[in-house]
Amino acid sequence: MFTNKNITDIFFSRSRLKKCFFLFSVFILFFEGNSIGQQTEEQRVDSLDRIADTTSSIRKRSEVLFELAATFIGSDPIRSRRYSETCIEAAENSNYLLGIGDCSNSLGLLHFYQSNYDTAQIVFERLISIGRTLNDSILLFKGYGNMGLVHSRIGKLNQAILYFQKSLRINEAMGRLWSVAKLNGDIGGVYMLMGDWSTAMNFQRSALQTYKMLKSERGVAKAMNAIGVVFQEQLVYDSARWYFEESLATKIKYGKNRAWVTTKGNLCRLYTDLKEKDDALACFEELIPIEKKFGMQHDLSLSLNNLALLYADSKQIKKGIETGKQALMLAEKIKSVQAQRGANNALSLLYEKSGDYKNAFHYATASRIAHDSFVNERQTERIAELQTQFETEKKEKTIALQALEIENNNQRIRFQQLITIGAVISIAGLFAFLLWRFRHRQKMQRQKDALMYQEQLLHSTVSSVEEERKRISKDLHDGIGQQLAGLKLAWENITGDITGLNESNTSKIDELTVVLQDVTDEVRNISHQMMPAALRELGLVPAIEDMLNKSFEYSNIACNFEHVGVNERFTERIEIGLYRICQELINNIIKHAEASHVEVHLFKTAKQIILKVSDDGKGFSPDALSQAGNGMNNIQSRIKSVNGDVQYERENGQGVSAHIRIPIPNQGDL
């Protein structure tokens, strides 16, 4: 037998969903209660409340609130919901996804218990989404299992089985035998709803065997309840009664909770099937107030429906119709197809016994529409018989039908008016949509034109700068450079002819010769930097090699340059752009990186040229890019001018790696 600690470990180790279907009521999910005394339970709750109010840890507070929500999920739904919503709010404020998932599970179960199936489905979908984000198997099996419960309640049985099977596979892989047993029971419950009693019995017996192996007293009671339902539907009433009574004897130990309601409801229906009216009436009178207390609207609808049938057998037709309508209103409110079908069938029978064949036919037809797959041939024959009786009665009420026809004509006119109004609204809506679409396209075109103008302006600016660099480089080389070379040659000739100078004058002449040589070299270097001769004459790879050699020649920085597949010449715009980008990156490394090693890689793919420049220096934060100086801005402008992109990454916690990708234009684009 489980001790209180065992139960808590099972529930709060995030496998705390214990669900089991029964026919039409779909086996209410319930949680294990507490076997300790009331005083100890109150002390534990008070202690948890104090922890939730005082702890500064968001994670701890979420876990405590989740435990409190789970504690009251079966006994005090309002209190449990308050804890669940507070837990979700606390977890959301700190973006603690695991806490949001756990508390969403509790909140979804509360909505499920109260038959708010649409809301429960939304909450469980969020739970599954968080489980996928975190790749958390426990959140996923909870979400899938609970979605299976919701879909079984709203009559989508095939989808329910798919969700249960997903949850089952996860639990089997994790070796969670208790959850495997529970899910076998859930799947068996869906097959019971489908009327496949043989398959249902196999799943329920498998669940019972696993529960016995785990020595789970409550699990055994739950499985015995489900097996009792199978026997009841197969009209093996003695076996059904034995299983129900054995299950109830165990569950009553833990009080009249949700689990007790499940089996008690089945036993009440068994009394009804056995025509034991007094026992059935007493049973439902005990059961219905407890279902109302826990807000178990689905089960309450079924119990009211069965009570209406008992009134029909007792010839209390008026009271039966009143009770049946209560059951139907509740079934429609909670959108339970099975409960609606049962309530409609009960009302059809009651009206038939009262001689009101019109309403009898109406409710019999509604039952067929609600769940056509559950209507057998005998029901179809009964509907046909009721329709015949209704037609006979209709002939005797010609005047009433004429009045009804007039009302129908009025309704038809009103319907046509609504169609006309709807058509006008639709046309107006279409016109508004077309106007919005036209203006949206105009806006997009203006944005496109502005972007194209910016690109053209950037290309024009870069091209102008490069043309100006070429001109200055040519002027320096052909003008000042040639003149300095001539001047140097003339100076050397003059100084060579001068003799008889003392040592001081000779030293000054030598110094002036060195200065003249330095000026000549500096002009040549500036000319080459403005437009490298290697780039113009030999191409991109030799130009980069030359630039790297000159940049690192007198530094302590080691440089390695590798290139693959970059053999042919590219457009001048691409070659100059890549060269300037690489040159600016190298300058930044020398000035700011404090690096000892630099790697430069240049290679070509089918559609791109890729330049990667890496260093082992001190690096920089990506946030620093927003405050970058002229160098980084120049890099961005160069990259945009050739339609490329750049990414900066940290290299193993130090240094920076810049990845530049530039598309190679097609021949038609050149």
Side-chain angles (χ1 to χ4, degrees):
M1 179 183 298
F2 280 137
T3 64
N4 181 61
K5 183 179 185 300
N6 296 142
I7 294 166
T8 305
D9 289 342
I10 289 172
F11 189 85
F12 295 107
S13 64
R14 299 161 61 210
S15 82
R16 49 195 178 277
L17 305 182
K18 298 193 174 185
K19 312 174 285 290
C20 185
F21 285 104
F22 62 90
L23 190 63
F24 301 133
S25 67
V26 202
F27 305 110
I28 284 294
L29 178 149
F30 67 90
F31 282 87
E32 299 290 353
N34 221 321
S35 61
I36 59 177
Q38 181 65 26
Q39 183 179 5
T40 304
E41 175 65 13
E42 291 177 356
Q43 291 174 349
R44 186 178 73 87
V45 171
D46 290 341
S47 175
L48 290 173
D49 270 327
R50 285 194 297 272
I51 294 173
D53 292 338
T54 58
T55 182
S56 60
S57 169
I58 297 298
R59 179 179 185 132
K60 181 64 176 177
R61 185 163 188 254
S62 298
E63 291 172 349
V64 170
L65 288 170
F66 167 65
E67 184 172 349
L68 287 166
T71 299
F72 294 102
I73 199 168
S75 58
D76 191 343
I78 296 176
R79 192 171 181 182
S80 180
R81 180 171 180 174
R82 185 173 69 249
Y83 282 126
S84 296
E85 290 175 345
T86 304
C87 175
I88 291 174
E89 182 180 0
E92 285 178 341
N93 288 338
S94 61
N95 198 28
Y96 179 37
L97 291 182
L98 185 58
I100 298 173
D102 279 336
C103 299
S104 295
N105 182 55
S106 296
L107 184 61
L109 288 173
L110 280 169
H111 286 296
F112 174 80
Y113 290 156
Q114 297 172 345
S115 304
N116 301 324
Y117 300 128
D118 291 341
T119 305
Q121 186 171 350
I122 292 171
V123 176
F124 291 144
E125 284 173 350
R126 184 186 190 191
L127 172 61
I128 291 172
S129 176
I130 293 173
R132 288 172 176 164
T133 300
L134 298 176
N135 195 24
D136 190 300
S137 298
I138 294 177
L139 292 182
L140 285 174
F141 89 67
K142 289 179 187 176
Y144 289 139
N146 292 336
M147 286 291 281
L149 287 176
V150 172
H151 281 79
S152 64
R153 279 295 178 84
I154 62 179
K156 297 182 179 180
L157 304 183
N158 289 328
Q159 289 178 271
I161 287 180
L162 291 176
Y163 276 115
F164 283 139
Q165 287 174 339
K166 286 182 179 180
S167 183
L168 181 61
R169 285 194 292 271
I170 294 174
N171 280 285
E172 287 176 339
M174 298 175 67
R176 304 176 70 91
L177 294 182
W178 197 96
S179 296
V180 169
K182 175 187 64 62
L183 287 162
N184 277 324
D186 292 340
I187 295 172
V190 179
Y191 280 112
M192 290 160 68
L193 292 173
M194 293 177 171
D196 188 348
W197 306 113
S198 176
T199 305
M201 182 63 84
N202 290 336
F203 275 101
Q204 298 299 352
R205 288 194 183 280
S206 175
L208 178 60
Q209 183 179 1
T210 305
Y211 284 133
K212 286 182 176 179
M213 182 182 68
L214 294 171
K215 297 181 180 180
S216 171
E217 188 178 48
R218 291 181 175 181
V220 169
K222 183 165 58 174
M224 293 182 75
N225 171 70
I227 292 172
V229 174
V230 177
F231 279 124
Q232 180 181 2
E233 293 302 318
Q234 293 179 316
L235 309 182
V236 186
Y237 293 125
D238 289 342
S239 296
R241 184 194 294 266
W242 184 85
Y243 275 100
F244 287 149
E245 289 176 348
E246 287 293 313
S247 176
L248 205 59
T250 299
K251 291 182 178 181
I252 196 62
K253 297 178 184 179
Y254 305 98
K256 294 180 179 180
N257 54 20
R258 294 178 183 273
W260 178 88
V261 168
T262 301
T263 304
K264 187 68 174 180
N266 290 336
L267 189 58
C268 293
R269 282 181 283 277
L270 179 63
Y271 291 148
T272 303
D273 291 344
L274 294 173
K275 306 299 182 183
E276 299 175 4
K277 297 178 184 178
D278 292 339
D279 289 338
L281 283 169
C283 186
F284 281 116
E285 286 173 358
E286 181 184 7
L287 177 66
I288 287 174
I290 299 175
E291 290 175 332
K292 290 180 179 179
K293 172 186 174 183
F294 289 126
M296 301 172 68
Q297 299 183 72
H298 183 272
D299 296 83
L300 180 59
S301 173
L302 295 175
S303 296
L304 290 170
N305 175 56
N306 281 279
L307 191 57
L309 292 172
L310 287 172
Y311 287 140
D313 290 340
S314 303
K315 296 186 169 43
Q316 301 181 59
I317 304 302
K318 185 176 180 181
K319 199 170 183 179
I321 290 174
E322 182 180 332
T323 304
K325 286 184 176 180
Q326 291 178 17
L328 181 59
M329 288 177 61
L330 196 55
E332 289 174 343
K333 177 183 176 182
I334 64 178
K335 300 180 182 179
S336 172
V337 176
Q338 290 81 14
Q340 289 179 47
R341 174 177 172 267
N344 280 311
N345 275 334
L347 286 168
S348 175
L349 178 62
L350 285 159
Y351 276 114
E352 182 182 3
K353 288 191 174 187
S354 71
D356 187 347
Y357 298 113
K358 176 180 177 181
N359 277 318
F361 172 69
H362 168 75
Y363 285 109
T365 303
S367 174
R368 182 175 183 178
I369 293 172
H371 207 286
D372 190 65
S373 62
F374 286 93
V375 178
N376 54 32
E377 294 180 359
R378 192 167 21 176
Q379 288 173 310
T380 305
E381 292 172 358
R382 179 168 167 271
I383 290 173
E385 180 183 351
L386 290 171
Q387 187 174 6
T388 302
Q389 293 173 343
F390 171 64
E391 293 294 334
T392 302
E393 186 182 32
K394 183 174 66 174
K395 293 177 182 178
E396 298 173 355
K397 299 180 180 179
T398 305
I399 298 176
L401 290 176
Q402 288 176 346
L404 180 62
E405 184 177 354
I406 293 173
E407 178 62 24
N408 287 337
N409 288 333
N410 291 336
Q411 290 181 356
R412 190 179 300 110
I413 291 172
R414 288 194 293 270
F415 180 69
Q416 290 174 348
Q417 290 174 341
L418 289 174
I419 290 178
T420 302
I421 295 172
V424 172
I425 293 174
S426 299
I427 293 172
L430 178 61
F431 176 77
F433 170 74
L434 292 175
L435 180 62
W436 171 85
R437 186 178 180 185
F438 173 74
R439 291 179 175 175
H440 180 70
R441 286 185 173 181
Q442 283 187 323
K443 180 180 178 182
M444 295 300 293
Q445 185 61 42
R446 287 195 298 269
Q447 292 176 349
K448 183 178 179 181
D449 292 343
L451 182 61
M452 185 177 297
Y453 171 76
Q454 291 176 356
E455 290 179 353
Q456 291 175 348
L457 181 62
L458 179 61
H459 291 161
S460 176
T461 301
V462 173
S463 297
S464 299
V465 170
E466 290 301 331
E467 288 298 324
E468 186 65 13
R469 283 173 174 268
K470 288 181 185 178
R471 185 189 66 78
I472 294 172
S473 174
K474 189 173 184 302
D475 289 347
L476 287 174
H477 183 272
D478 296 343
I480 297 175
Q482 293 294 336
Q483 292 175 4
L484 286 172
L487 177 61
K488 178 175 176 293
L489 184 61
W491 173 260
E492 289 175 349
N493 290 334
I494 292 172
T495 56
D497 294 337
I498 298 175
T499 58
L501 295 175
N502 58 34
E503 183 177 349
S504 175
N505 288 333
T506 301
S507 175
K508 289 180 180 180
I509 289 174
D510 291 340
E511 289 177 359
L512 290 173
T513 301
V514 171
V515 170
L516 183 59
Q517 181 63 46
D518 289 344
V519 171
T520 304
D521 292 342
E522 184 66 20
V523 170
R524 184 185 300 108
N525 289 336
I526 293 173
S527 174
H528 287 171
Q529 288 177 357
M530 297 296 286
M531 178 52 63
L535 181 62
R536 184 177 61 252
E537 297 171 3
L538 302 177
L540 185 60
V541 172
I544 291 178
E545 287 179 335
D546 181 64
M547 182 266 292
L548 293 174
N549 290 335
K550 291 179 178 178
S551 298
F552 296 113
E553 182 177 3
Y554 300 107
S555 73
N556 294 324
I557 302 175
C559 178
N560 179 43
F561 175 44
E562 296 182 2
H563 55 87
V564 178
V566 192
N567 299 320
E568 73 272 24
R569 297 296 298 266
F570 301 100
T571 63
E572 184 180 76
R573 183 163 60 93
I574 290 178
E575 289 189 342
I576 292 175
L578 270 171
Y579 180 85
R580 296 299 184 197
I581 292 167
C582 184
Q583 187 179 45
E584 193 63 55
L585 288 170
I586 295 301
N587 287 339
N588 285 342
I589 291 172
I590 294 173
K591 292 178 180 178
H592 308 295
E594 299 178 7
S596 61
H597 186 78
V598 176
E599 290 281 343
V600 180
H601 300 273
L602 181 68
F603 55 94
K604 172 180 170 292
T605 65
K607 297 182 178 180
Q608 291 181 327
I609 303 175
I610 300 174
L611 172 65
K612 177 182 177 183
V613 179
S614 314
D615 68 77
D616 61 353
K618 64 183 181 180
F620 60 83
S621 169
D623 297 335
L625 290 175
S626 60
Q627 304 174 351
N630 291 334
M632 300 300 289
N633 291 332
N634 288 340
I635 292 174
Q636 293 291 343
S637 299
R638 289 287 183 180
I639 292 171
K640 287 183 180 179
S641 71
V642 290
N643 301 319
D645 64 80
V646 61
Q647 291 181 340
Y648 297 97
E649 298 177 355
R650 297 296 299 268
E651 289 286 334
N652 299 322
Q654 63 178 3
V656 175
S657 177
H659 298 258
I660 296 91
R661 294 176 175 83
I662 296 176
I664 301 174
N666 298 323
Q667 291 296 327
D669 300 334
L670 298 176

